[in-house]
Amino acid sequence: GKPTLYGSLTCQGIGLDGIPEVTASEGFIVNEINKKSIHISCPEENASSKFLAPYTTFSRIHAESITCLDVSSGGGLGVSSSTDGSMKIWQASNGELRRVLEGHVFDVNCCRFFPSGLVVLSGGMDAQLKIWSAEDGSCVVTFKGHKGGVLDTAIVDRGRNVVSGSRDGTARLWDCGRSACLGVIADCGSSINGMAVGAADNSINLGSPEQMPSEREVGTELKMLLLAREDKKLQCLGLQSRQPAILALACSQVFLFVGSDAFNCCTFLSGFLLLAGTQDGNIYQLDVRSPRVPVQVIHRSGAPVLSLLSFRDGFIASQGDGSCFIVQQDLDYLIELTGADCDPVYKVATWEKQIYTCCRDGLVRRYQLSDL
C-alpha cells in the first residue's frame, strides 16, 4: 500500500580481483559483492536481499518450456518434462542427456524420483501415471483410473504406495507392486493442482478408517495428505482414515481452508506447519492444529505462486513473474535466484547445497549455495 522506492546500481569498473565495483543510489546500500552474488539492502524499509546468479545453465536438455523437474536422492541424476511432450533423464552435474522416457500421450505434467533414486514416477494429460526405470528408461508400470489429466503426485514413505491428484477432482492411492488403485482418498469436485504427504505431529488427531485398510497399503498411518485445489480450497486429511474435512467436529483436526484464489502448490514444513501458494501471489503458512487463521501470509507480487519447497529451516518459492526466492529463519535477508527474467519458474528441486530450477524459457539453472 506504500509507494515503491526506486534505486539504481552503477558499476564503476572491475577490480583487480575480477569483481565489479558497484555503488547504489540514495537509500540503498551494497553490503557485499562477489562474482556470483550481490547483497543489497534498503535500511529505510528494513529490506535486504542477496541476488545469486546461476552457477551453470543447461540449455540442451529441452527445446521448449520445462514444466517440472526433480533431482535424485543421491544428487547424480535429474529428470524433467517439457511442453514439447518429452521427459528426459540427465546428469545433474553437467546436464548431459542419459535417457528419453517415451510413453505418455500429450504433455507430461509432473515427474519425480522415488526415494531410491533409481525409479521415476510421472503423470500426464493422458490421465495416466507411469513408473520408469532410470537405469534403462523402460516403463515398468502404468496406472489407469483417472478421468482427467494427472497434475501432481506424492510418494508415500519408501514408495510401495503413491498418491495422485487429477483434473477430475479425485486423489487416488495406488499400489505400485500390483499396479492397482487402492481407493479414491478424496473427491473434491474441483481440479487438484498440487499435493503433499507429510508425517503428522503426535498432537494431531487424524481420525480412524471406517474399514480395515488393505494389507497392500504401506506407510499410510499417521500421514497427512494436503490438497491444493482449483476452487480456492486447501484440504488436509488423514491419508489412512480418508477423513473428510469437517471443521465443526472439534475432535477431527483435519481441515478445509478457503484462500483468496485457486491454490497451485503446497508443502509441509514440519509435522504441523504447512505452506500453500495461490494464483494471485499469496503464500499461506498454516498450523494444522489451528488452521482457521494463517500463521502468516507472504505476498511479494500478484504473480501466481507455482512451486513451494521446504528447505533447511525455511522454504523456496517460485512465481510466474520469474522470481524465485529462499526464506530462511536464521538469515535476515532473502536470497533471490536470478536469471529467469520474466518467464515463470515452474519448479524447484534441491540436493544438498545445490538448487535446480526449470523455466518457461527452456533452461534448467543450477545454483550453488556455497557461492554465498
Side-chain angles (χ1 to χ4, degrees):
K2 292 190 219 165
T4 304
L5 279 180
Y6 290 97
S8 60
L9 302 176
T10 311
C11 178
Q12 309 287 359
I14 307 290
L16 294 172
D17 50 6
I19 292 169
E21 291 171 2
V22 175
T23 55
S25 59
E26 194 183 346
F28 293 85
I29 298 169
V30 177
N31 300 63
E32 189 192 349
I33 183 167
N34 62 33
K35 286 183 179 176
K36 286 286 183 189
S37 74
I38 181 166
H39 183 183
I40 301 160
S41 55
C42 174
E44 188 186 325
E45 287 299 313
N46 198 18
S48 184
S49 286
K50 184 171 268 195
F51 297 88
L52 183 64
Y55 184 76
T56 41
T57 301
F58 305 142
S59 56
R60 294 197 181 145
I61 301 172
H62 294 281
E64 290 178 33
S65 173
I66 305 172
T67 49
C68 192
L69 94 167
D70 194 22
V71 175
S72 65
S73 52
L77 293 175
V79 62
S80 54
S81 59
S82 164
T83 50
D84 62 13
S86 70
M87 181 166 48
K88 297 177 179 179
I89 289 177
W90 35 273
Q91 200 78 30
S93 56
N94 57 14
E96 193 180 310
L97 194 62
R98 294 291 294 274
R99 306 266 176 277
V100 178
L101 306 179
E102 292 176 329
H104 277 290
V105 189
F106 312 124
D107 285 12
V108 181
N109 293 325
C110 48
C111 54
R112 67 173 71 237
F113 280 98
F114 276 78
S116 67
L118 304 171
V119 188
V120 169
L121 173 67
S122 65
M125 289 309 279
D126 54 8
Q128 297 181 16
L129 283 113
K130 288 181 178 286
I131 295 177
W132 312 79
S133 161
E135 294 172 305
D136 63 9
S138 62
C139 176
V140 286
V141 174
T142 298
F143 299 123
K144 294 180 182 179
H146 279 297
K147 305 278 191 294
V150 177
L151 298 178
D152 201 9
T153 59
I155 291 169
V156 183
D157 230 26
R158 303 229 308 269
R160 299 263 297 273
N161 296 159
V162 298
V163 192
S164 60
S166 163
R167 281 199 167 173
D168 65 15
T170 65
R172 291 172 182 261
L173 181 70
W174 306 87
D175 171 10
C176 297
R178 291 191 183 161
S179 60
C181 180
L182 291 173
V184 175
I185 296 173
D187 191 347
C188 309
S190 171
S191 184
I192 297 172
N193 296 326
M195 60 185 354
V197 169
D201 187 81
N202 297 336
S203 61
I204 295 162
N205 171 18
L206 293 177
S208 47
E210 286 172 13
Q211 57 208 57
M212 205 43 201
S214 152
E215 77 272 4
R216 303 292 301 174
E217 220 177 281
V218 183
T220 56
E221 64 280 357
L222 302 178
K223 294 281 197 311
M224 298 179 286
L225 177 66
L226 192 57
L227 304 175
R229 295 167 32 170
E230 183 68 25
D231 60 3
K232 304 186 181 181
K233 291 179 181 139
L234 182 70
Q235 184 175 2
C236 185
L237 41 96
L239 183 54
Q240 190 180 73
S241 65
R242 326 265 205 271
Q243 287 290 332
I246 302 169
L247 271 174
L249 286 180
C251 62
S252 178
Q253 294 190 339
V254 285
F255 66 86
L256 198 61
F257 175 83
V258 182
S260 56
D261 203 348
F263 280 99
N264 291 330
C265 52
C266 54
T267 190
F268 285 102
L269 293 176
S270 71
F272 53 85
L273 281 177
L274 59 92
L275 288 177
T278 61
Q279 186 66 14
D280 60 359
N282 284 327
I283 298 173
Y284 290 92
Q285 184 178 354
L286 298 173
D287 187 324
V288 177
R289 299 165 303 185
S290 56
R292 293 179 186 200
V293 180
V295 178
Q296 64 170 336
V297 182
I298 298 165
H299 184 93
R300 299 192 60 221
S301 77
V305 182
L306 300 176
S307 78
L308 289 165
L309 182 65
S310 171
F311 182 70
R312 296 187 183 169
D313 59 358
F315 65 89
I316 308 175
S318 72
Q319 291 187 266
D321 57 2
S323 68
C324 184
F325 59 94
I326 308 173
V327 176
Q328 276 183 260
Q329 284 173 5
D330 60 347
L331 294 181
D332 53 3
Y333 57 84
L334 279 178
I335 298 172
E336 305 259 5
L337 304 179
T338 69
D341 202 14
C342 297
D343 281 304
V345 177
Y346 290 116
K347 200 83 177 174
V348 181
T350 61
W351 182 72
E352 291 186 351
K353 286 187 171 180
Q354 297 177 32
I355 298 172
Y356 295 79
T357 64
C358 66
C359 181
R360 189 172 68 186
D361 60 14
L363 300 178
V364 170
R365 293 179 174 85
R366 177 164 71 105
Y367 301 85
Q368 198 94 15
L369 276 193
S370 48
D371 285 351
L372 294 172

